[in-house]
Amino acid sequence: MSASISYEFFPPRSLDASFKLWDTVNALQHTAPDFVSVTYGAGGTTRELTHEAVETIGKRTGLDVAAHLTCVDASREETLSIADRYADAGVSHIVALRGDPPKGAGQFTARPDGFQSSVELIEALAETGKFDLSVGAYPETHPDAVDPKGNVEWLKRKIDAGASRAITQFFFDADHFFRFRDDCADAGITAPILPGILPVQSWRGVKRFASACGTTIPTHLANAFETAERDGRTELLATAVATQLCTKLLDQDVDHLHFYTLNDPKLTRDVVHALGLAPEAALENVA
Ligand code: FAD
């Protein structure tokens, strides 16, 4: 099996969290990811932290680091000046998103002087000619989508606006991804669609997150995790589940896996090693 990989991190908000992020980067960089990315806090809350994390990881590791950027709570001018700062710092890969409002603020509402949608943001960033752009995609249909067809058509608009690839929301059933990939191909989308893999670190957290973003949890998986939690075997099960999901994807010609690490390297590293995707040298770095 061969495939390239990438990792998502989030920016740290405390000294302890900074150490965790750094440990995660160190543990995973030996697996030779194609790129890594750093999220932008909901509601635009981590602007400076994201910037600092992107720059520091890039400078210290030489990895290709993508910066997430959203339209939330910023004027067009502010958003483009953040992008400009990235370009000046040599960061050329941006994950361009509409974003979600801060907790409890309900639906996304664009600022009158801000980008009204992800498509507008992508168009403006593409126009600068400075960035390689990734966007989000939703195999199980985004909760704001009118229907699955509209969900795919909107992704097509984002790609046509200048994005080079899409990274999906996490899912547990490979068939959802395959169906979505087929629908995208039928709609004329030729850009790569990278599946987002979430190794389950906290079952309770995943249940909450899945319900918010519309990811289906198969009954057999829910039962298995409830039992594993009771018996203190969640990590083992999580590694097996993520490895099996990735194997199904790789068997059907998926050639890139994007891991949501949640700034904890253990499960992701085990899955990448179990799949045989890390270079030999990486195995020497298993702590
Ligand atoms: P869009 O794709 O623009 O919109 C979401 C859906 O709404 C679309 O699929 C479409 O069906 C529908 N829609 C929206 N506008 C229209 C329209 N005008 N006409 C028709 N349909 C429309 N959030 C953060 O806050 N920070 C992050 O760093 C972050 N990183 C992410 C990374 C990835 C890979 C993914 C998949 C998501 C990430 N998110 C992040 C979450 C994301 O911000 C939310 O899912 C948000 O609700 C949608 O953002 P988007 O850019 O994908 O939206």
Side-chain angles (χ1 to χ4, degrees):
M1 263 186 279
S2 96
S4 51
I5 45 187
S6 52
Y7 302 123
E8 181 187 284
F9 307 126
F10 59 83
R13 290 177 193 257
S14 68
L15 190 59
D16 185 51
S18 302
F19 280 111
K20 278 198 184 117
L21 170 60
W22 193 237
D23 287 347
T24 305
V25 171
N26 271 327
L28 294 176
Q29 67 167 313
H30 305 286
T31 60
D34 246 26
F35 68 91
V36 300
S37 75
V38 182
T39 62
Y40 197 74
T45 47
T46 63
R47 196 166 300 167
E48 283 309 315
L49 295 172
T50 299
H51 202 283
E52 217 178 315
V54 167
E55 265 201 75
T56 308
I57 295 171
K59 271 195 198 132
R60 288 185 174 256
T61 64
L63 291 171
D64 172 10
V65 191
H68 293 215
L69 186 59
T70 75
C71 311
V72 177
D73 200 25
S75 67
R76 286 162 189 261
E77 210 182 352
E78 282 162 350
T79 306
L80 289 177
S81 86
I82 296 170
D84 257 348
R85 271 179 68 203
Y86 279 125
D88 291 345
V91 176
S92 59
H93 185 173
I94 287 187
V95 182
L97 300 143
R98 183 195 75 181
D100 283 324
K103 264 194 195 114
Q107 284 223 316
F108 170 82
T109 315
R111 253 174 60 159
D113 59 351
F115 288 110
Q116 302 299 298
S117 72
S118 58
V119 168
E120 280 193 6
L121 172 64
I122 296 156
E123 274 167 357
L125 292 173
E127 213 167 275
T128 67
K130 296 175 181 170
F131 302 108
D132 177 19
L133 300 171
S134 297
V135 293
Y138 301 88
E140 294 187 69
T141 304
H142 190 282
D144 293 352
V146 191
D147 55 25
K149 192 164 177 274
N151 185 56
V152 170
E153 282 167 359
W154 187 252
L155 177 60
K156 172 94 166 57
R157 287 194 54 188
K158 297 202 288 188
I159 300 294
D160 291 347
S164 345
R165 72 187 68 67
I167 305 173
T168 77
Q169 187 57 276
F170 73 98
F171 55 89
F172 291 112
D173 183 342
D175 286 338
H176 288 303
F177 177 82
F178 297 137
R179 210 168 300 132
F180 179 67
R181 188 173 64 173
D182 288 347
D183 290 346
C184 288
D186 290 347
I189 296 172
T190 53
I193 299 171
L194 319 184
I197 310 295
L198 178 67
V200 175
Q201 290 175 23
S202 148
W203 180 239
R204 192 179 303 175
V206 163
K207 275 196 297 190
R208 204 175 43 240
F209 196 26
S211 122
C213 66
T215 294
T216 310
I217 298 182
T219 310
H220 71 272
L221 215 58
N223 292 339
F225 272 106
E226 303 290 347
T227 310
E229 263 203 334
R230 246 187 353 250
D231 301 346
R233 292 180 295 102
T234 315
E235 275 197 15
L236 262 181
L237 180 65
T239 309
V241 164
T243 306
Q244 190 188 38
L245 174 60
C246 293
T247 305
K248 281 187 187 165
L249 295 169
L250 296 172
D251 280 349
Q252 295 295 322
D253 301 327
V254 165
D255 61 6
H256 187 105
L257 300 167
H258 182 77
F259 289 93
Y260 294 111
T261 71
L262 304 183
N263 292 9
D264 187 330
K266 291 193 290 294
L267 292 177
T268 297
R269 187 188 55 194
D270 287 350
V271 172
V272 167
H273 284 166
L275 293 167
L277 296 180
E280 287 285 305
L283 295 171
E284 291 159 19
N285 288 291
V286 177

